[in-house]
Amino acid sequence: MNEKELAQKSVEYRKKILKYIVGAKAGHTGGSLSCVDVLNVLYNNVLNVSPETFGSPDRDRYIQSKGHCVEALFVVLADQGFFPESDLETLCKYKSHYIGHPTRKVKGVEQNTGALGHGLPIAVGTAIAAKMDKKDFRVFTLLGDGELPEGSNWEAALTAAHYKLDNLVAILDKNELQITGPTNTVCNTDPVDEKFESFGWAVHHVNGHDFKQLNETFASLPFTAGKPNLVIAHTIKGKGISFMENQGKWHHGVPNPEQYAQAIEELDNALTLV
Amino acid sequence: MGAVIESTVATGKPNQDVFAGILQELATEDRDIVAVTSDSRGSGKLVTFGQQLPEQIVEIGIAEQNLVGVAAGLASAGKKAYAVSPACFLTARALEQIKNDVAYSDNHVRLIGISAGVSYGALGTTHHSLHDFAVLRAINNITIVVPADNFETEQAVKLSAQLDQPIYLRFGKKPMPLLNPDETSFEFGKGRVIKKGADIAIIANGETVYPALLAAQKLEKEHGLQATVVSMHTVKPLDTELLAELAESTQAMLTVEEHMVNGGLGEACASYLLQQSYHKPFKIMGIPDEYTVTGSQMEILNHYGISENGITEAALKLLKK
């Protein structure tokens, strides 16, 4: 998918994220909007996985450690044909499988996540299995910068380097805001690149909303043979909606009807500019 | 079934040694078997495994959360991952990983808790695993098994390799008696009746089955009382069919475990029996709700009456003898 098509897709995804969050009266709006461009590129241009190949042992794996932003994942999976999009009308409703965090009851979801600091260790184990079996599949996991203080991330980072897992790709959705406020005021993990590099990872920075940069970055994997890969995606929480961007209150804010209408209008306008 | 007492004097190996040996045999044939350790290959008796099958062992270092998460990832990609770590750390430090990455995500990890109960003796509370039945009972989709001798261990490890479900196997450090070498049936979820008698049922597991058996012998020799002794090796799912049968066929029931009385085997049995309206003399023997006294494993167990004499006395009291 070329950059223009990706840009159009992301506008579509953002509209759907808002639609289903409004319908559910719940959701992690800001973070879903910050990571959706990365998911867009992954599922449309990078990952070797589809509804037909989802059971294949050779498929690429995507594990969303940042489970809170499941709305972005669900919208992208629906677009990929893993399940009918109409299912998302049940999001967070009684007896729905489409709950507020990733669950394997939904086709396309590899692991149940939501509790933070879990995705990277599981991804490491899966990547080790690929190495053991001499398989070429890759394992991608999306981390939030707010979940980095969980020690399990750092335990897993050590193991990934120890086992030279260059088939592992961790993407850090670095929007720099978490529920309490700026991440560097809650628990500063910067300089995160130097930390991972010192652990033995190959690290690349990228503008997480720039499709050209994202395409080029993922096309250059592995960054260094024998090293696990960290893509630090610099993103904007609430990206695409003027009154949500960089506003901590939209961590899990739900738009009221007026806000929703304005957001959709802004996204429609953005579409005309693509 | 009753002439088994003599055989109990035979000394077997520590269950965790048997585990490691059987695992290595299985792994030699099944290359999908992978041992995952947290700097615990020595205490887990996996040194030879690591030497013979270096491609099938993953060393994590002392990082239990990561240990379980990595094992879950391995399992998700088709590996039969055995996550081996001291029971106290495995089930407390990595509890959320067990809940989410293993049980909730249905990744078929085999969790191996070594040096369980008060095996570490005088190393103290930090190293005692007296909570593991309680916390794991509260998590669904996980089988909890505590073998009482080398036979049960061998069977449990072999069955675990084929189990299509997460499992926790708990092993201790000390050499085990062979309870009944002729016994050939072993099934998860089915208690193993070691001795039959109508006066009292003594339901134990792991290291406590042997003193329960000695107590049954003493009750018979010195008091003319007949006891049933059960190795309730599977704490979950509990063999409620056997429990109901024992509630019907005996006068009193006594449970014995190397675990705190809170939330363990005894409370699991009591909960079932009470809800089925069985009302009869019943006692739970285990470590009381306190931090343990200092001592070796045997000294600690003896202190709390988990011994031939302690169990005998408890049984007599229940039967008002």
Side-chain angles (χ1 to χ4, degrees):
Chain A
M1 203 173 269
N2 64 35
E3 289 162 30
K4 183 174 180 181
E5 290 167 328
L6 288 168
Q8 289 171 334
K9 213 36 137 173
S10 272
V11 172
E12 185 187 313
Y13 288 156
R14 285 192 163 84
K15 288 173 72 173
K16 288 177 180 175
I17 287 168
L18 293 172
K19 173 184 171 183
Y20 294 116
I21 283 175
V22 167
K25 300 184 180 67
H28 285 82
T29 312
S32 287
L33 295 173
S34 76
C35 71
V36 71
D37 293 330
V38 170
L39 287 180
N40 183 358
V41 174
L42 284 179
Y43 274 92
N44 286 303
N45 282 1
V46 179
L47 294 175
N48 175 27
V49 66
S50 67
E52 293 72 34
T53 62
F54 186 60
S56 162
D58 297 322
R59 71 190 184 281
D60 284 342
R61 269 71 161 180
Y62 170 76
I63 298 166
Q64 186 156 311
S65 187
K66 181 188 162 78
H68 298 59
C69 300
V70 72
E71 292 83 12
L73 178 61
F74 282 166
V75 161
V76 173
L77 289 177
D79 183 55
Q80 296 290 310
F82 282 93
F83 51 83
E85 191 191 309
S86 57
D87 285 5
L88 294 179
E89 288 164 14
T90 69
L91 182 70
C92 290
K93 293 193 166 68
Y94 181 56
K95 288 192 172 179
S96 174
H97 288 166
Y98 300 85
I99 58 176
H101 292 99
T103 162
R104 290 173 66 182
K105 287 182 179 173
V106 174
K107 187 174 179 185
V109 174
E110 290 282 359
Q111 296 294 334
N112 297 345
T113 52
L116 296 173
H118 287 247
L120 191 55
I122 300 173
V124 166
T126 311
I128 291 173
K131 292 281 187 190
M132 284 177 163
D133 291 343
K134 297 182 170 47
K135 288 185 178 294
D136 292 329
F137 72 80
R138 298 176 298 180
V139 188
F140 294 75
T141 184
L142 182 72
L143 312 176
D145 49 1
E147 73 170 313
L148 276 189
E150 290 283 7
S152 48
N153 289 311
W154 303 98
E155 295 177 3
L158 288 169
T159 304
H162 182 80
Y163 283 99
K164 304 183 188 329
L165 300 179
D166 52 10
N167 56 345
L168 172 71
V169 186
I171 304 151
L172 179 64
D173 181 25
K174 197 171 191 320
N175 63 34
E176 305 200 348
L177 278 173
Q178 59 192 105
I179 193 164
T180 298
T183 50
N184 64 6
T185 66
V186 177
C187 179
N188 189 7
T189 51
D190 283 330
V192 69
D193 49 0
E194 292 179 20
K195 290 185 171 75
F196 272 85
E197 280 166 352
S198 74
F199 275 42
W201 287 57
V203 180
H204 275 211
H205 288 269
V206 65
N207 177 335
H209 304 302
D210 184 317
F211 298 109
K212 184 169 184 288
Q213 283 188 35
L214 287 167
N215 277 331
E216 287 172 355
T217 300
F218 290 125
S220 65
L221 291 168
F223 301 142
T224 304
K227 287 189 173 187
N229 311 279
L230 177 68
V231 176
I232 300 179
H234 295 274
T235 62
I236 295 171
K237 197 154 186 166
K239 171 69 176 174
I241 314 299
S242 62
F243 57 89
M244 293 184 184
E245 289 192 357
N246 290 318
Q247 298 299 311
K249 68 177 182 179
W250 286 101
H251 179 83
H252 52 41
V254 176
N256 63 29
E258 293 74 28
Q259 290 167 328
Y260 179 54
Q262 183 184 337
I264 296 299
E265 186 182 346
E266 288 185 16
L267 289 168
D268 284 337
N269 290 339
L271 196 55
T272 63
L273 300 173
V274 172
Chain B
M1 193 181 301
V4 295
I5 306 300
E6 290 74 13
S7 67
T8 60
V9 298
T11 299
K13 298 177 182 174
N15 281 343
Q16 56 199 47
D17 291 39
V18 174
F19 153 73
I22 298 292
L23 188 72
Q24 187 173 328
E25 280 177 26
L26 296 172
T28 303
E29 298 297 318
D30 183 348
R31 308 303 280 192
D32 279 334
I33 288 179
V34 177
V36 193
T37 76
S38 56
D39 192 28
S40 50
R41 76 179 71 193
S43 48
K45 309 301 174 188
L46 291 166
V47 173
T48 309
F49 184 109
Q51 290 165 344
Q52 300 295 318
L53 302 167
E55 305 298 317
Q56 289 169 253
I57 189 164
V58 177
E59 178 60 73
I60 298 297
I62 302 169
E64 291 79 13
Q65 296 179 74
N66 190 36
L67 171 87
V68 176
V70 167
L74 285 161
S76 78
K79 296 297 179 188
K80 294 174 181 174
Y82 284 76
V84 184
S85 190
C88 52
F89 309 125
L90 180 67
T91 60
R93 200 148 193 157
L95 182 60
E96 193 180 74
Q97 279 71 20
I98 293 173
K99 171 193 158 194
N100 292 339
D101 305 351
V102 175
Y104 175 44
S105 285
D106 199 27
N107 287 315
H108 301 164
V109 174
R110 286 78 171 166
L111 298 157
I112 309 298
I114 58 172
S115 305
V118 291
S119 292
Y120 281 125
L123 294 189
T125 294
T126 57
H127 283 59
H128 293 168
S129 186
L130 297 172
H131 62 280
D132 45 347
F133 299 165
V135 295
L136 296 182
R137 278 182 63 220
I139 290 172
N140 76 18
N141 190 33
I142 190 161
T143 298
I144 307 168
V145 177
V146 190
D149 65 0
N150 292 175
F151 165 77
E152 290 187 5
T153 300
E154 181 177 333
Q155 298 298 307
V157 177
K158 286 178 176 170
L159 287 175
S160 74
Q162 305 308 321
L163 192 67
D164 200 20
Q165 192 195 356
I167 186 169
Y168 171 63
L169 296 174
R170 186 207 223 221
F171 301 123
K173 286 176 71 171
K174 79 178 180 71
M176 300 297 287
L178 300 176
L179 296 174
N180 187 349
D182 298 329
E183 181 62 76
T184 54
S185 71
F186 180 90
E187 194 180 335
F188 293 143
K190 291 290 173 194
R192 184 171 160 229
V193 179
I194 307 295
K195 179 182 179 305
K196 278 188 175 171
D199 291 311
I200 187 167
I202 306 176
I203 300 161
N205 62 14
E207 266 79 347
T208 66
V209 176
Y210 181 55
L213 198 51
L214 294 180
Q217 181 183 35
K218 195 176 173 81
L219 287 166
E220 185 173 349
K221 277 187 178 172
E222 298 180 11
H223 304 276
L225 295 168
Q226 298 294 326
T228 289
V229 176
V230 172
S231 168
M232 195 65 91
H233 48 72
T234 306
V235 176
K236 185 181 178 182
L238 198 59
D239 187 352
T240 53
E241 192 181 343
L242 177 58
L243 276 180
E245 190 185 310
L246 295 173
E248 297 283 0
S249 64
T250 61
Q251 304 307 308
M253 301 177 85
L254 177 61
T255 67
V256 196
E257 60 196 302
E258 191 177 343
H259 184 276
M260 280 184 74
V261 292
N262 303 354
L265 173 69
E267 284 195 357
C269 293
S271 172
Y272 171 76
L273 292 168
L274 193 58
Q275 291 184 82
Q276 296 300 314
S277 300
Y278 289 111
H279 301 284
K280 59 174 51 195
F282 184 94
K283 180 176 174 61
I284 298 171
M285 295 187 78
I287 308 294
D289 190 358
E290 67 182 49
Y291 295 111
T292 57
V293 295
T294 303
S296 68
Q297 179 189 29
M298 292 314 296
E299 286 169 333
I300 294 170
L301 293 178
N302 282 332
H303 177 84
Y304 294 111
I306 304 172
S307 61
E308 176 184 354
N309 286 340
I311 296 168
T312 303
E313 285 170 22
L316 291 171
K317 204 169 175 183
L318 269 184
L319 292 168
K320 300 190 187 308
K321 300 291 181 183

